[in-house]
Amino acid sequence: MDVSVVIPTCNRPELATRAVHSALGQTHRSLEVIVVIDGPDDATVSALKEIDDDRLRVLVLPERGKAPNARNQGVKAAEGQWVALLDDDDEWMPTKIEAQLALAATATKASPIVATRMISRTPRSDTVMPRRLPEPGEPLSEYLTVRRGLFYGDGFIQTSTIMAPTELLRRVPFTVGLRRQQELDWTLRALQHDDVELLYAADALVLWHQDENRERISLQNPWEEQLAWVRESRHLFTPRAYAAVTMSVISSMAAPTRSPKVFRELLSEARTHGRPGALDYVTFLQIWALPPNVRHRVRDLVVGKKAHA
């Protein structure tokens, strides 16, 4: 057994069992699946007992600590050389782990982060993300944040696409308490280590279910928390990337406030500590001018494309 799959979950037994089945259904069979239940949750425990596979382990935490803490606890319990992360509301294609292990074998550094493309599925469209892979020598903070189009970024990384050495995830744990940008924060911090590189499998091997009728972290808008995080993390970004994340990601969370004061604060933050490009200014203005539902519909019309799982 060389791969440990870590799935944090809480009070979503149907989703958790779907995720577990996609992990156990991998063509690479030498793995364990660790479901970390974030606090007492009898329904999920009962549902997982119905899965007859000795590769499944269930860890119930005594109290809720949210997904980053649950991932960290799963990593501590992992017995494999590699950990592959899977959110409970996502699914993997059957060859995901096999493809990632093959790519990991080509790494030039000792602790590669191996990610994949994914299919972002909404009720309106399927979109393959990231739209492109990093270019040689491209600063990865810029790849992951700087937009080349008005309604989208080209670079992207999402938790359920990540496989990394267990030792690296123990050395660089997820930031407990951070509600948004958890994978961006973790990836950029891990890349500060000299033995770490980021590799991408070109195929879309994860299905990311979005806009379903349920609570999800990515629908929360804790812009003040995120602004504090990006200020503390400025050393992880180039000035170009710092401006981009402030004027696009954080502004998207803050724009529903319709506050001129917040508008000015974010613009000043980006201009003072970052280096905005022309597209950053246009993006920033359209984020504040268009209601989120309108912006999302336009974005889907512009970039939406059907992908086949």
Side-chain angles (χ1 to χ4, degrees), residues 130-155:
R131 293 168 57 84
R132 64 176 179 87
L133 301 183
E135 297 171 358
E138 180 177 11
L140 288 169
S141 68
E142 294 184 11
Y143 167 72
L144 292 169
T145 60
V146 174
R147 296 187 178 201
R148 294 188 178 183
L150 189 58
F151 292 95
Y152 58 86
D154 284 354

Tab-separated table of all heavy atoms in Angstrom, residues 130-155:
chain	number	residue	atom	x	y	z
A	130	PRO	N	-7.215	23.482	-14.827
A	130	PRO	CA	-6.891	24.784	-15.372
A	130	PRO	C	-6.948	24.786	-16.895
A	130	PRO	O	-6.824	23.735	-17.527
A	130	PRO	CB	-5.467	25.032	-14.875
A	130	PRO	CG	-4.892	23.663	-14.710
A	130	PRO	CD	-6.025	22.806	-14.245
A	131	ARG	N	-7.124	25.964	-17.440
A	131	ARG	CA	-7.240	26.099	-18.896
A	131	ARG	C	-5.926	25.809	-19.605
A	131	ARG	O	-5.902	25.389	-20.753
A	131	ARG	CB	-7.708	27.506	-19.241
A	131	ARG	CG	-9.128	27.814	-18.786
A	131	ARG	CD	-9.441	29.293	-18.886
A	131	ARG	NE	-9.247	29.831	-20.219
A	131	ARG	CZ	-10.148	29.771	-21.197
A	131	ARG	NH1	-11.311	29.179	-20.982
A	131	ARG	NH2	-9.899	30.291	-22.375
A	132	ARG	N	-4.810	26.058	-18.921
A	132	ARG	CA	-3.492	25.749	-19.480
A	132	ARG	C	-2.594	25.309	-18.332
A	132	ARG	O	-2.902	25.526	-17.160
A	132	ARG	CB	-2.885	26.978	-20.177
A	132	ARG	CG	-2.605	28.134	-19.234
A	132	ARG	CD	-1.907	29.300	-19.919
A	132	ARG	NE	-1.663	30.399	-18.999
A	132	ARG	CZ	-0.590	30.513	-18.220
A	132	ARG	NH1	0.359	29.572	-18.240
A	132	ARG	NH2	-0.442	31.544	-17.408
A	133	LEU	N	-1.461	24.707	-18.670
A	133	LEU	CA	-0.487	24.283	-17.679
A	133	LEU	C	0.597	25.357	-17.550
A	133	LEU	O	0.744	26.209	-18.424
A	133	LEU	CB	0.112	22.937	-18.074
A	133	LEU	CG	-0.913	21.801	-18.232
A	133	LEU	CD1	-0.197	20.484	-18.546
A	133	LEU	CD2	-1.771	21.651	-16.985
A	134	PRO	N	1.350	25.351	-16.445
A	134	PRO	CA	2.373	26.396	-16.271
A	134	PRO	C	3.406	26.374	-17.384
A	134	PRO	O	3.784	25.309	-17.892
A	134	PRO	CB	3.013	26.030	-14.922
A	134	PRO	CG	2.029	25.157	-14.232
A	134	PRO	CD	1.293	24.422	-15.298
A	135	GLU	N	3.878	27.556	-17.748
A	135	GLU	CA	4.935	27.676	-18.739
A	135	GLU	C	6.292	27.571	-18.044
A	135	GLU	O	6.417	27.920	-16.866
A	135	GLU	CB	4.811	29.014	-19.480
A	135	GLU	CG	3.521	29.133	-20.268
A	135	GLU	CD	3.289	30.537	-20.819
A	135	GLU	OE1	4.136	31.422	-20.547
A	135	GLU	OE2	2.277	30.747	-21.496
A	136	PRO	N	7.317	27.097	-18.746
A	136	PRO	CA	8.641	26.979	-18.115
A	136	PRO	C	9.108	28.323	-17.553
A	136	PRO	O	9.079	29.347	-18.241
A	136	PRO	CB	9.534	26.530	-19.283
A	136	PRO	CG	8.606	25.828	-20.231
A	136	PRO	CD	7.310	26.592	-20.143
A	137	GLY	N	9.512	28.302	-16.302
A	137	GLY	CA	10.021	29.515	-15.682
A	137	GLY	C	8.965	30.486	-15.187
A	137	GLY	O	9.299	31.517	-14.588
A	138	GLU	N	7.695	30.195	-15.411
A	138	GLU	CA	6.629	31.097	-14.979
A	138	GLU	C	6.509	31.057	-13.456
A	138	GLU	O	6.393	29.976	-12.878
A	138	GLU	CB	5.305	30.675	-15.613
A	138	GLU	CG	4.124	31.549	-15.228
A	138	GLU	CD	2.836	31.149	-15.936
A	138	GLU	OE1	2.829	30.061	-16.565
A	138	GLU	OE2	1.859	31.909	-15.858
A	139	PRO	N	6.518	32.209	-12.779
A	139	PRO	CA	6.310	32.187	-11.326
A	139	PRO	C	4.964	31.541	-11.003
A	139	PRO	O	3.928	31.949	-11.537
A	139	PRO	CB	6.333	33.670	-10.947
A	139	PRO	CG	7.086	34.345	-12.047
A	139	PRO	CD	6.748	33.577	-13.284
A	140	LEU	N	4.981	30.549	-10.133
A	140	LEU	CA	3.750	29.798	-9.902
A	140	LEU	C	2.698	30.617	-9.166
A	140	LEU	O	1.501	30.376	-9.334
A	140	LEU	CB	4.067	28.502	-9.164
A	140	LEU	CG	4.781	27.467	-10.055
A	140	LEU	CD1	5.320	26.317	-9.244
A	140	LEU	CD2	3.844	26.960	-11.151
A	141	SER	N	3.106	31.600	-8.367
A	141	SER	CA	2.098	32.468	-7.752
A	141	SER	C	1.356	33.260	-8.820
A	141	SER	O	0.158	33.544	-8.680
A	141	SER	CB	2.733	33.405	-6.726
A	141	SER	OG	3.572	34.364	-7.327
A	142	GLU	N	2.036	33.617	-9.907
A	142	GLU	CA	1.379	34.317	-11.011
A	142	GLU	C	0.528	33.353	-11.831
A	142	GLU	O	-0.592	33.687	-12.242
A	142	GLU	CB	2.418	35.022	-11.887
A	142	GLU	CG	3.135	36.146	-11.158
A	142	GLU	CD	4.100	36.928	-12.046
A	142	GLU	OE1	4.061	36.738	-13.288
A	142	GLU	OE2	4.885	37.713	-11.494
A	143	TYR	N	1.045	32.154	-12.082
A	143	TYR	CA	0.260	31.167	-12.816
A	143	TYR	C	-1.081	30.906	-12.133
A	143	TYR	O	-2.123	30.803	-12.785
A	143	TYR	CB	1.045	29.856	-12.936
A	143	TYR	CG	0.207	28.693	-13.395
A	143	TYR	CD1	-0.233	28.610	-14.713
A	143	TYR	CD2	-0.185	27.692	-12.496
A	143	TYR	CE1	-1.035	27.559	-15.135
A	143	TYR	CE2	-0.973	26.640	-12.916
A	143	TYR	CZ	-1.399	26.573	-14.231
A	143	TYR	OH	-2.198	25.535	-14.638
A	144	LEU	N	-1.072	30.837	-10.803
A	144	LEU	CA	-2.270	30.461	-10.059
A	144	LEU	C	-3.218	31.628	-9.812
A	144	LEU	O	-4.347	31.403	-9.362
A	144	LEU	CB	-1.873	29.826	-8.720
A	144	LEU	CG	-1.177	28.459	-8.833
A	144	LEU	CD1	-0.589	28.045	-7.493
A	144	LEU	CD2	-2.133	27.395	-9.350
A	145	THR	N	-2.810	32.865	-10.090
A	145	THR	CA	-3.656	34.008	-9.729
A	145	THR	C	-3.900	35.017	-10.845
A	145	THR	O	-4.959	35.642	-10.872
A	145	THR	CB	-3.050	34.775	-8.537
A	145	THR	OG1	-1.746	35.252	-8.892
A	145	THR	CG2	-2.946	33.894	-7.300
A	146	VAL	N	-2.944	35.213	-11.743
A	146	VAL	CA	-3.064	36.288	-12.737
A	146	VAL	C	-3.993	35.865	-13.869
A	146	VAL	O	-3.843	34.779	-14.442
A	146	VAL	CB	-1.679	36.672	-13.298
A	146	VAL	CG1	-1.821	37.691	-14.430
A	146	VAL	CG2	-0.800	37.237	-12.183
A	147	ARG	N	-4.948	36.726	-14.181
A	147	ARG	CA	-5.917	36.433	-15.234
A	147	ARG	C	-5.404	36.871	-16.603
A	147	ARG	O	-4.731	37.892	-16.736
A	147	ARG	CB	-7.241	37.147	-14.958
A	147	ARG	CG	-7.942	36.684	-13.698
A	147	ARG	CD	-9.312	37.295	-13.587
A	147	ARG	NE	-10.030	36.835	-12.396
A	147	ARG	CZ	-11.350	36.889	-12.258
A	147	ARG	NH1	-12.092	37.391	-13.216
A	147	ARG	NH2	-11.925	36.453	-11.162
A	148	ARG	N	-5.764	36.083	-17.623
A	148	ARG	CA	-5.534	36.483	-19.007
A	148	ARG	C	-6.854	36.766	-19.721
A	148	ARG	O	-6.852	37.133	-20.891
A	148	ARG	CB	-4.753	35.393	-19.748
A	148	ARG	CG	-3.334	35.208	-19.233
A	148	ARG	CD	-2.543	34.277	-20.121
A	148	ARG	NE	-1.171	34.137	-19.659
A	148	ARG	CZ	-0.246	33.414	-20.298
A	148	ARG	NH1	-0.556	32.761	-21.417
A	148	ARG	NH2	0.976	33.326	-19.818
A	149	GLY	N	-7.954	36.547	-19.017
A	149	GLY	CA	-9.273	36.859	-19.552
A	149	GLY	C	-10.075	37.590	-18.500
A	149	GLY	O	-9.796	37.502	-17.293
A	150	LEU	N	-11.091	38.297	-18.924
A	150	LEU	CA	-11.839	39.162	-18.017
A	150	LEU	C	-12.608	38.374	-16.968
A	150	LEU	O	-12.777	38.835	-15.840
A	150	LEU	CB	-12.812	40.028	-18.842
A	150	LEU	CG	-13.543	41.143	-18.098
A	150	LEU	CD1	-12.565	42.098	-17.446
A	150	LEU	CD2	-14.463	41.899	-19.063
A	151	PHE	N	-13.085	37.183	-17.309
A	151	PHE	CA	-13.955	36.440	-16.405
A	151	PHE	C	-13.322	35.158	-15.870
A	151	PHE	O	-13.995	34.356	-15.248
A	151	PHE	CB	-15.263	36.082	-17.111
A	151	PHE	CG	-16.116	37.281	-17.413
A	151	PHE	CD1	-16.058	37.894	-18.648
A	151	PHE	CD2	-16.963	37.817	-16.444
A	151	PHE	CE1	-16.841	39.002	-18.923
A	151	PHE	CE2	-17.750	38.920	-16.717
A	151	PHE	CZ	-17.691	39.518	-17.962
A	152	TYR	N	-12.048	34.952	-16.102
A	152	TYR	CA	-11.466	33.681	-15.694
A	152	TYR	C	-9.953	33.808	-15.543
A	152	TYR	O	-9.327	34.723	-16.069
A	152	TYR	CB	-11.771	32.589	-16.737
A	152	TYR	CG	-11.262	32.933	-18.112
A	152	TYR	CD1	-9.961	32.640	-18.496
A	152	TYR	CD2	-12.097	33.569	-19.035
A	152	TYR	CE1	-9.494	32.972	-19.753
A	152	TYR	CE2	-11.632	33.904	-20.298
A	152	TYR	CZ	-10.332	33.602	-20.646
A	152	TYR	OH	-9.874	33.944	-21.885
A	153	GLY	N	-9.384	32.865	-14.799
A	153	GLY	CA	-7.942	32.709	-14.759
A	153	GLY	C	-7.551	31.451	-15.502
A	153	GLY	O	-8.354	30.535	-15.662
A	154	ASP	N	-6.332	31.396	-15.952
A	154	ASP	CA	-5.856	30.215	-16.680
A	154	ASP	C	-5.325	29.149	-15.736
A	154	ASP	O	-5.477	27.959	-15.967
A	154	ASP	CB	-4.757	30.605	-17.663
A	154	ASP	CG	-5.303	31.295	-18.901
A	154	ASP	OD1	-6.536	31.352	-19.036
A	154	ASP	OD2	-4.496	31.766	-19.719
A	155	GLY	N	-4.660	29.575	-14.666
A	155	GLY	CA	-4.070	28.634	-13.730
A	155	GLY	C	-5.038	28.290	-12.607
A	155	GLY	O	-5.916	29.081	-12.255
